[in-house]
Amino acid sequence: MSRIVADHAVCEGIGMCETTAHEMFVVGDDGLVEVLQFEPDDVTLARAAVAACPVSALRLQD
Amino acid sequence: MVRRLVVVGASHAGVAAATAARDAGAYDEVVVVGAEERAPYQRPPLSKEVLTGAAEPAQLGVLDQVTLHTGMRARGLDPVRRVLVTDAGEVGYDALVIATGARPRTLPAIPEALTLRTYDDARGLGAALAGARRVAVVGAGFIGAEVASAVRSRGGAVTLLEQAPLPLCGLVGEDVAQRLLALHAAHGTSVRVGARVIGARRAAGRVTGVELADGELVAADVVVAALGVAPDTGWLTASGIALDADGAVRCDDRLRTSLPHVLAAGDVARVAGHGCGHVLTATEQGRAAGMNAAGADEAWSPRPFAWSQWYGHRLQLVGRFHGLATPALIARDEDGSLLAVAGEADRLLGVFGLDRPRQVAALRRVVGEPGSWERALEQISPAPAPIPA
């Protein structure tokens, strides 16, 4: 099962992940990414969201 | 007949267009043509971690079921035969998305000046900076400031040369621009405003300084030109496509150009009068172009968001400050952080934060909405705590 890992130290709150997969990510009130679905149903979509982050704050761990 | 979408350009706008069109499933084949040899990569780290050598840029997008041609440069477009001409031959299309981006403006007075746009640029510039004794950066916008920041992070000496009296004033307003100027000084970057570069001083064929119009000589062995970009549309001249005076491809809000079956997105385009300039905008435009090429009717509207890192500080800009009736209001802290807002009537239209990610995130959600100015005022001067009953 793949698991989404977010690194808050590098997250800029840009929101590309939310734009790509709003069911998995939201930019929270603190301006940082909040993972809504740590073990994504749609791994392909999760990969796309991870690859959309311009600051590489997201990873998909196997 | 195979239905084929061709995307010209393999960066943020192009990759977004290709993946959106692929996901829509309207084409038998989605082809991306990129001029660089490298597979698509994230551009924002180039002026930050890649420049200092701290990290490599991450891969951009997931291009499964997309045919990617790297190292293939577009040379022309024949809208009658519906053919893209490249240096490796012709590619026929049913629909085409132009996403060739922009090229950095050069400094004619100093041909040796380095520019920053691609991965190769960043690696070359990073190596030059590492070996430099004194760096001069011409242009004190975001890229210029990030280059200066990279030099300072290694303890190097750097001077920013800016022609305008106050850099970034048009983007963030006068008060914030003054604060940003002070940030450079606080981190040891020397800034000359109102500086017009007329040439270079050289010794033994190497640059030793930058000559200014007022007669001053700024010592530098590496010169960087950070003067913004110009749309990369030289290859489209003979196609008959409508271009703006600066060469940008003119589009409506559906990303449609003047040519049938041809759309455009990103730094190459001017969409409904708006330039691009940021990866988030490029990505949104690219996605809309890809979906519309696949038969959708997606309108793009500006939602500008930019971020930058200077000397370890986080800068975030939402919307605009320029030309607004309500002057910018600023809240600042003793820790040096600041939040600025600007609006018109009851609407918040611009937010700038220096190390204020929470407040920027809260306000970013309401920018442009009726009544949002009230929310902005709450963030600037928090309401007094309610009196306990």
Side-chain angles (χ1 to χ4, degrees):
Chain A
M1 193 75 198
S2 297
R3 190 176 167 80
I4 295 171
V5 182
D7 185 348
H8 277 184
V10 295
C11 176
E12 287 279 349
I14 297 151
M16 300 289 274
C17 51
E18 187 180 332
T19 312
T20 310
H22 59 88
E23 57 274 72
M24 295 177 198
F25 305 94
V26 65
V27 176
D29 289 335
D30 56 359
L32 300 173
V33 63
E34 218 173 275
V35 181
L36 304 176
Q37 221 183 77
F38 282 98
E39 292 181 346
D41 305 327
D42 186 343
V43 177
T44 308
L45 188 62
R47 275 176 66 211
V50 166
C53 178
V55 295
S56 305
L58 299 172
R59 275 185 307 129
L60 201 57
Q61 236 171 29
D62 289 323
Chain B
M1 269 300 273
V2 172
R3 275 181 55 78
R4 183 188 295 140
L5 173 72
V6 174
V7 178
V8 195
S11 195
H12 293 272
V15 167
T19 51
R22 172 203 62 197
D23 294 346
Y27 290 90
D28 301 310
E29 195 180 8
V30 176
V31 176
V32 175
V33 174
E36 289 179 64
E37 294 287 350
R38 173 169 287 264
Y41 57 88
Q42 297 279 355
R43 261 181 223 281
L46 295 185
S47 54
K48 306 173 182 78
E49 296 89 344
V50 179
L51 208 48
T52 56
E56 290 287 290
Q59 160 206 333
L60 172 64
V62 180
L63 291 173
D64 297 352
Q65 295 142 50
V66 170
T67 307
L68 172 68
H69 296 292
T70 56
M72 191 190 273
R73 193 171 282 280
R75 296 291 181 205
L77 183 65
D78 183 339
V80 178
R81 289 192 300 135
R82 286 198 208 169
V83 159
L84 171 74
V85 183
T86 79
D87 54 8
E90 296 188 339
V91 186
Y93 65 82
D94 293 282
L96 181 125
V97 177
I98 297 169
T100 39
R103 294 170 189 253
R105 291 206 179 87
T106 53
L107 187 60
I110 308 179
E112 299 94 328
L114 299 169
T115 55
L116 175 53
R117 179 73 182 178
T118 65
Y119 174 78
D120 290 343
D121 292 344
R123 291 301 298 263
L125 181 56
L129 295 180
R133 278 180 312 169
R134 273 208 80 92
V135 180
V137 181
V138 185
F142 282 117
I143 296 292
E146 287 178 345
V147 172
S149 190
V151 175
R152 292 300 301 144
S153 75
R154 290 171 161 155
V158 57
T159 305
L160 277 171
L161 302 170
E162 169 62 46
Q163 189 157 4
L166 185 58
L168 294 171
C169 184
L171 266 183
V172 297
E174 193 179 334
D175 293 340
V176 173
Q178 290 284 3
R179 289 286 299 246
L180 294 180
L181 202 54
L183 195 61
H184 287 304
H187 288 87
T189 294
S190 154
V191 185
R192 299 268 203 299
V193 296
R196 197 162 66 81
V197 173
I198 55 166
R201 188 71 58 89
R202 295 177 181 84
R206 299 186 66 97
V207 172
T208 58
V210 175
E211 292 175 334
L212 304 184
D214 64 4
E216 195 184 344
L217 180 72
V218 177
D221 52 346
V222 171
V223 182
V224 183
L227 299 164
V229 295
D232 193 348
T233 52
W235 63 282
L236 285 167
T237 317
S239 69
I241 199 168
L243 302 177
D244 275 349
D246 67 346
V249 177
R250 204 177 296 159
C251 300
D252 66 8
D253 67 347
R254 264 67 179 176
L255 294 310
R256 292 177 293 219
T257 70
S258 64
L259 297 178
H261 314 291
V262 178
L263 301 95
D267 278 347
V268 78
R270 182 157 293 108
V271 182
H274 296 273
C276 178
H278 305 292
V279 292
L280 189 67
T281 304
T283 305
E284 288 174 348
Q285 289 181 354
R287 180 173 293 137
M291 289 170 71
N292 290 348
D297 187 33
E298 285 279 317
W300 174 84
S301 59
R303 215 165 52 100
F305 177 67
W307 75 98
S308 187
Q309 289 266 2
W310 299 10
Y311 316 107
H313 294 282
R314 175 185 288 203
L315 288 72
Q316 293 171 304
L317 173 65
V318 185
R320 67 193 170 97
F321 281 76
H322 186 69
L324 297 180
T326 314
L329 295 177
I330 296 188
R332 55 188 69 165
D333 264 357
E334 285 164 14
D335 64 4
S337 73
L338 83 92
L339 179 75
V341 295
E344 221 158 49
D346 68 337
R347 285 167 206 257
L348 168 68
L349 296 177
V351 182
F352 177 86
L354 178 64
D355 295 326
R356 296 280 188 103
R358 285 167 187 266
Q359 289 173 302
V360 173
L363 291 178
R364 188 178 165 195
R365 294 192 183 144
V366 299
V367 161
E369 287 176 13
S372 51
W373 186 243
E374 201 63 34
R375 296 284 305 278
L377 293 180
E378 287 165 18
Q379 295 288 342
I380 286 288
S381 47
I387 299 160

